[in-house]
Amino acid sequence: MRRPTHMIGMLMVYAILLLTVVTTLLPLVWMITTSIKTPGEVFVYPPKWIPTEFAWSNYTTAWEMAPWNKYFFNTALYTASTVTGVLITSVASGYAFSKLEFKGRKTLFLAYIGTMMVPSQVTIIPVFIILSQMNWVDTYSGLIIPGLTSAFGCFLMRQFITGIPTELIESGLIEGGGHMRILASIVTPLLKPAVATLGIFTFMGTWNNFFWPLIVTNSDELRTVQVGLSSFQNQYGDGDWGAMMAAATMVSAPVLILFLVAQRYFIEGIAMTGIKG
Amino acid sequence: MRKAASVSFPLFLIKRVRGGANMKKFKRIFGKDAAVAWMLIAPNVVWIAVFTLFAIFYSFYLSFTEVDLFANQFTLVGLDNYKQSFADPVFTKSIVNTTVFTIFTVAFSMSIAIVVAVLLNSKIKGRKLMRAAFFLPSILPVIAVAQVWIWIYEPSYGLLNFFLEKIGVGNPNHPFQWLVSPDTAMLSVIIFSIWKSFGYNMVIYLAALQGVPRSLYEAAEIDGANAVQKFFRITIPGLRPATFFILITSISGSFQTFGEIYALTNGGPMNQTNMIAYYIYQYAFEFFKIGRASAVSVLLFILLFAITIWQWNSYQKKED
């Protein structure tokens, strides 16, 4: 183990990894440091890594330049409704596909999972037309309702629920509980890690979703932070990099904080879809 | 068929027989839990039926029509939308761009991911911290991080040109134009996408590496194999299922690249970074040519379907 060649090898491994880490994180560090630089220091060449004075004013400037409180409210509503809807429908359908016996269960499940491969560009135009026929374009209903179920969520929950012993459910049945009661009082409490994983994934996907809100909303009243950030960029981009980076940091912050707090669930969720998928 | 069910199954029938003969018949035909099961899956079934299945058929229909959304008129025009698409040089260009983008992004993202995963899989200090760092770009909103990269690619004050000058690449009087120049725009978009995606793939590889048996490495060591040989003879074959999974999802994801293009280049300069998903968006929601856009989206659907089937077949063949 202590051979010199081994030492050199390990040093090289560390060197390569550290270099990759630095390259990966540099853009994010750059985003944050630029966001707290004074306009004078943003355009200093060579670039300054740590600002001589912290200018929080970029955040207030950015905040005043667009109706961010509306954007954040809309995104919070959109995200909270989607997470709630997806969790409920995924636990319910995952349970049915995993523990209940009905004709065509396997075929239906495979067909359902197969729909995950359908690109959103194929369905977005017809769905947009359906919504416009229902006068749902540029409304909260149109923004939220189509995303309340998820094939991925159903798949993930089924994987978790399959791991719950069937005996547990059968003993519940013998004690006289119906499947709905078993689902609520026996299965769901055992699903905490799964619910956390799916909840976090759905939160991230919805908070970060750009394509769908871009298509289905068009007034400032209904815009989400991602679409808001994009129009902010179109209006004020190229000039005020400090304010731009402040806005980008604000929009990234909730996902970033969630990641730092609940990193384990992110990693486990991805590992799980990758291996068992 | 579960074994444990045989014990409780009769009990279960006795308890639930209240429904009478019709109920029994229903249960025999549709399965014993059919009623409650269908209730539980109803939302998912309805949603997928409307927003995916119906949508796909509707998409096919729309691709043969000319749509006037304001007048609510749908006129059948046969194959016109397809003919016009194939006659459009921008369409052909977007297909070529998408292919080039996909090949380079997926190849580099996966190669970096696999190498980093293998390196991280040894006894390394700060392993979890590094894993988190690599993963970070993939969870951040694309519009926000695209913004940062526009700033990094900025020709006169941007970080990238500064670094390149430091190591003696490039001429300060003629800085690289990155996103602005037709020659480097695609390269810039690809670098951005590799940066954003490799960490996600790396996490999948890292998890899959736990499933490659240690005994294989030990046997190889006894036979005197070096690190490179072990990597190519044991690690790469051992990671085949993960590679297959990543390949399918990455290719499909790459073909649907939209936010990156919208934020970084708007498809420009001179359509040099216009890709198929962005092209569909432009035709549907900027030019309001719903029929044209639908025709292209149908083509995208068929193309991705064919690629997936082809990958699946070649994967199965090699497994045997």
Side-chain angles (χ1 to χ4, degrees), chain B residues 20-136:
Chain B
N22 281 337
M23 199 62 200
K24 258 188 194 164
K25 200 175 171 192
F26 173 85
K27 283 185 175 174
R28 203 177 56 236
I29 297 171
F30 297 106
K32 77 178 163 86
D33 306 320
V36 64
W38 278 96
M39 196 180 78
L40 290 175
I41 63 171
N44 297 66
V45 171
V46 171
W47 256 244
I48 214 73
V50 175
F51 296 117
T52 305
L53 297 182
F54 174 70
I56 292 172
F57 286 113
Y58 199 26
S59 210
F60 274 86
Y61 166 74
L62 287 172
S63 74
F64 300 113
T65 62
E66 204 180 296
V67 182
D68 186 342
L69 260 193
F70 301 103
N72 207 5
Q73 264 178 353
F74 301 79
T75 323
L76 280 169
V77 292
L79 287 170
D80 277 11
N81 290 321
Y82 290 92
K83 283 180 196 151
Q84 281 169 17
S85 297
F86 281 112
D88 178 9
V90 180
F91 170 73
T92 333
K93 192 162 193 170
S94 81
I95 297 269
V96 174
N97 287 342
T98 312
T99 312
V100 169
F101 170 82
T102 301
I103 290 172
F104 282 97
T105 305
V106 174
F108 278 97
S109 175
M110 285 177 75
S111 315
I112 297 172
I114 205 166
V115 170
V116 170
V118 168
L119 294 183
L120 265 191
N121 201 37
S122 45
K123 287 184 190 110
I124 289 267
K125 288 213 173 68
R127 185 168 167 251
K128 285 192 171 165
L129 224 59
M130 288 198 247
R131 184 178 67 176
F134 293 132
F135 188 50
L136 201 48

Side-chain angles (χ1 to χ4, degrees), chain A residues 117-270:
Chain A
M117 290 305 292
V118 177
S120 54
Q121 277 80 16
V122 175
T123 53
I124 201 134
I125 297 166
V127 169
F128 178 81
I129 292 183
I130 297 170
L131 294 186
S132 74
Q133 305 278 4
M134 294 167 80
N135 282 323
W136 271 10
V137 171
D138 210 27
T139 65
Y140 284 125
S141 304
L143 178 66
I144 293 166
I145 288 174
L148 289 180
T149 71
S150 150
F152 169 73
C154 171
F155 167 75
L156 202 68
M157 280 303 163
R158 183 186 167 273
Q159 297 293 85
F160 274 104
I161 295 172
T162 306
I164 295 176
T166 306
E167 288 81 0
L168 219 57
I169 288 153
E170 276 157 4
S171 69
L173 285 173
I174 292 165
E175 278 162 30
H179 276 292
M180 294 305 281
R181 224 169 107 197
I182 290 166
L183 183 55
S185 59
I186 300 179
V187 175
T188 310
L190 292 174
L191 285 177
K192 270 180 199 148
V195 165
T197 303
L198 180 60
I200 284 165
F201 266 78
T202 314
F203 176 93
M204 180 182 79
T206 317
W207 186 277
N208 289 350
N209 197 343
F210 172 67
F211 191 43
W212 177 247
L214 174 75
I215 303 290
V216 86
T217 65
N218 41 44
S219 67
D220 241 5
E221 298 294 316
L222 266 296
R223 266 188 191 150
T224 63
V225 283
Q226 307 303 341
V227 185
L229 181 65
S230 167
S231 76
F232 186 76
Q233 172 203 346
N234 291 338
Q235 272 172 292
Y236 309 103
D238 282 349
D240 195 342
W241 289 107
M244 278 307 320
M245 291 304 109
T249 309
M250 284 191 314
V251 168
S252 309
V255 193
L256 195 64
I257 292 166
L258 186 70
F259 176 69
L260 295 178
V261 177
Q263 207 212 112
R264 186 165 70 93
Y265 294 108
F266 276 93
I267 308 265
E268 276 171 14
I270 290 189

